[in-house]
Amino acid sequence: MGRTRNSRRAASAAAVVEAVDGGLAELIPDPDRGRAWTLLIDGAPQSHVDLDDPAYLDFEYQRRLGHVIDLLAPPGRPVQVVHLGGGAFTLARYVAATRPRSTQQVVERDAALVRLVRRELPLDPGARIRVRSVDAREGLRKVPEAWADLVIADVFSGARTPAHLTSTEFLDEVRRVLRPGGVYAANLADGPPLAHLRGQIATVGARFAEVAVVADAGVWRGKRFGNAVLMAADVQLPVPELTRRCASDPHPGRVEHGRALRDFTGGAGAVTDDMAVASPAPPPSVFR
């Protein structure tokens, strides 16, 4: 199939390269979509945004978080969401497009990145999105108690999740912000032997009654480094529908829940602030 006029224009657009607080940011035009861009930080892909179609989610982990958003409440119902980690605001744009009149708070520490994204990939001025350029835990403390229907954690520094966002104390602050019945979702990254993932599942399980995790088969088997999306709440999770949606994605994911997930942790204990470490760095081959 030939390219459209819009996609030819995108292919000829120049990449935007700029130093930000977290490293070297690159906005690379998508040759197949008219006004779509991929954000990289120091060569690591962070976000994909289609300005013409903000409901389009290209990265597999963002599609899975999109399923969590879709299953949060009846379609189209406005929700209140806290995003820890902004990137190019892909998921905030998705919520605004699929659930108009939603109110959102984005916490993105990298102020220079926020300025770059606002300038090159502007947000819809009608979207109710507030952005704070502070540390994720500091920003979370500023959110009122029981304010959010959903808290999404997708924070990476140098391709690693900072240690202070992996502990029970961090999750206590998440729980304070969530309304009764609210949902916590997180993008996790790990590789063989999956010690970090097991520890994070145990940590979240120590603070929430229900936990489900989706990843592709290669990650579950410990064959490769990759993303795992975690969903947690104190109410029953929509595991059957999440399973169906993830299985039908272009890159299918497998959902684990209940006893199978507890068995997977292999007796790993919950992580506290005094023992927390950052997630492992991905091998260089991941981004080649």
Side-chain angles (χ1 to χ4, degrees), residues 10-93:
S12 65
V16 179
V17 181
E18 192 165 306
V20 295
D21 300 337
L24 187 68
E26 300 173 83
L27 288 172
I28 308 297
D30 184 335
D32 297 316
R33 301 184 72 88
R35 296 178 64 225
W37 300 78
T38 299
L39 168 67
L40 294 86
I41 305 291
D42 287 340
Q46 302 289 323
S47 304
H48 180 279
V49 169
D50 188 332
L51 297 178
D52 287 333
D53 183 8
Y56 173 77
L57 298 176
D58 185 70
F59 289 3
E60 64 182 49
Y61 87 86
Q62 290 181 331
R63 287 183 63 89
R64 292 165 185 170
L65 286 168
H67 296 325
V68 172
I69 293 165
D70 292 342
L71 295 172
L72 181 64
R77 197 197 85 180
V79 291
Q80 297 190 174
V81 185
V82 176
H83 302 263
L84 303 178
F89 310 143
T90 303
L91 291 171
R93 297 173 200 266

Side-chain angles (χ1 to χ4, degrees), residues 98-213:
T98 59
R99 295 174 177 273
R101 303 181 309 283
S102 292
T103 304
Q104 304 182 76
Q105 298 190 41
V106 177
V107 182
E108 171 54 63
R109 181 174 184 170
D110 195 326
L113 176 61
V114 170
R115 290 192 296 270
L116 170 65
V117 171
R118 283 188 179 279
R119 186 185 75 231
E120 300 292 336
L121 310 175
L123 289 165
D124 179 350
R128 300 176 181 177
I129 301 173
R130 178 181 182 182
V131 183
R132 286 192 175 105
S133 295
V134 296
D135 174 77
R137 267 176 78 162
E138 180 183 346
L140 196 59
R141 284 194 291 268
K142 296 180 183 296
V143 179
E145 184 173 347
W147 183 87
D149 298 297
L150 173 65
V151 173
I152 299 175
D154 184 17
V155 183
F156 287 86
S157 176
R160 304 176 72 183
T161 301
H164 68 297
L165 304 181
T166 68
S167 66
T168 52
E169 290 89 342
F170 163 68
L171 291 174
D172 288 338
E173 194 65 22
V174 170
R175 287 183 59 87
R176 182 192 67 78
V177 166
L178 284 173
R179 292 174 172 172
V183 172
Y184 171 63
N187 176 32
L188 308 173
D190 199 9
L194 300 179
H196 176 73
L197 180 59
R198 298 177 203 275
Q200 285 305 286
I201 293 169
T203 303
V204 175
R207 289 298 185 265
F208 289 92
E210 292 282 317
V211 183
V213 179

Side-chain angles (χ1 to χ4, degrees), residues 213-229:
V213 179
V214 55
D216 69 32
V219 172
W220 279 123
R221 291 198 298 266
K223 298 294 185 181
R224 70 174 186 87
F225 194 99
N227 295 88
V229 167

